[in-house]
Amino acid sequence: MKKPHWLLIAATVATSFCMASCDEQSEAGEYANWKNRNQEFLDSIAQVAQENSDEWRILKAYDLPQDDPNDLTTGKRDVNNYVYCQIEKEGTGKVSPIFTDSIHAHYRVWLINDKVIDNSYRGELNPEISVPAKFAMGNGMINGWVTALQHMRVGDQWIVYMPYTLGYGTKGSGAVPGYSVLKYRINLAAVYTTGTVVPGWQ
């Protein structure tokens, strides 16, 4: 005996609703207490950076008044005004980009749960075969990215941790929830000054 057609529809809808609910619960669990988790993570990174100044750089957002060097150890800084940069490799370049320059860079960005949000390469970074992305420094780029890059030289490779205040804020963007710390691996490949034609990467 065949089931009435409306029963099949009802069963399908119920199954779909259950799957959607399960996905939503999983998503909610993954990002539960997200603001606090990100702040705790950033606080721990800030402490590691301060305790390992030979391998890390702490950079205040480029558009904020800069610290007096004597203030760096007072403990009064707002950790959300800084990016925390772990130096993986030092390049041989002599030039750092400024706000009006353009660049080529390899990059990958994660959330604190290790979810990859975006990248310019696949697998492990091999600058010899990977094609870097092209950016204009002042063209809608997030504050933390611009801050870090203005201190990098061609060939440098850094792991950069950016607070939400220097990233996508309280509302987030696309796959990035609000209050997200961003973890970038950046390899600066080339810098082009204002008025220079940025070539395609060979």
Side-chain angles (χ1 to χ4, degrees), residues 64-172:
L64 294 177
Q66 297 302 297
D67 290 324
D68 183 310
N70 295 323
D71 293 338
L72 293 179
T73 57
T74 63
K76 296 180 179 179
R77 294 177 300 168
D78 182 346
V79 296
N80 290 302
N81 287 337
Y82 298 80
V83 293
Y84 303 88
C85 310
Q86 183 179 12
I87 313 304
E88 284 197 318
K89 183 177 72 174
E90 293 186 353
T92 57
K94 305 299 181 184
V95 177
S96 296
I98 61 175
F99 190 77
T100 54
D101 288 342
S102 297
I103 64 165
H104 272 116
H106 306 279
Y107 72 95
R108 176 171 290 157
V109 57
W110 299 261
L111 301 178
I112 65 167
N113 59 5
D114 292 328
K115 180 176 288 187
V116 176
I117 296 303
D118 194 14
N119 64 107
S120 67
Y121 59 91
R122 302 292 185 270
E124 293 301 314
L125 172 59
N126 182 347
E128 298 299 321
I129 60 174
S130 299
V131 177
K134 179 172 66 176
F135 300 97
M137 287 282 288
N139 187 19
M141 297 170 70
I142 60 174
N143 190 305
W145 171 269
V146 177
T147 296
L149 281 166
Q150 289 188 85
H151 292 267
M152 296 182 72
R153 298 190 176 191
V154 173
D156 282 353
Q157 183 168 298
W158 292 4
I159 300 291
V160 181
Y161 298 87
M162 304 177 191
Y164 75 93
T165 49
L166 306 183
Y168 293 104
T170 60
K171 295 184 178 179

Side-chain angles (χ1 to χ4, degrees), residues 28-58:
E30 186 176 8
Y31 296 104
N33 201 28
W34 189 245
K35 179 181 178 180
N36 290 340
R37 286 164 56 196
N38 277 267
Q39 191 62 56
E40 290 172 1
F41 178 86
L42 186 70
D43 290 343
S44 68
I45 288 294
Q47 183 173 349
V48 169
Q50 183 139 342
E51 293 174 352
N52 296 275
S53 57
D54 290 343
E55 301 172 4
W56 290 71
R57 297 191 68 179
I58 301 174

Side-chain angles (χ1 to χ4, degrees), residues 6-25:
W6 65 269
L7 285 177
L8 293 176
I9 295 175
T12 301
V13 171
T15 301
S16 299
F17 179 77
C18 179
M19 292 176 65
S21 297
C22 291
D23 288 343
E24 289 172 3
Q25 290 175 5

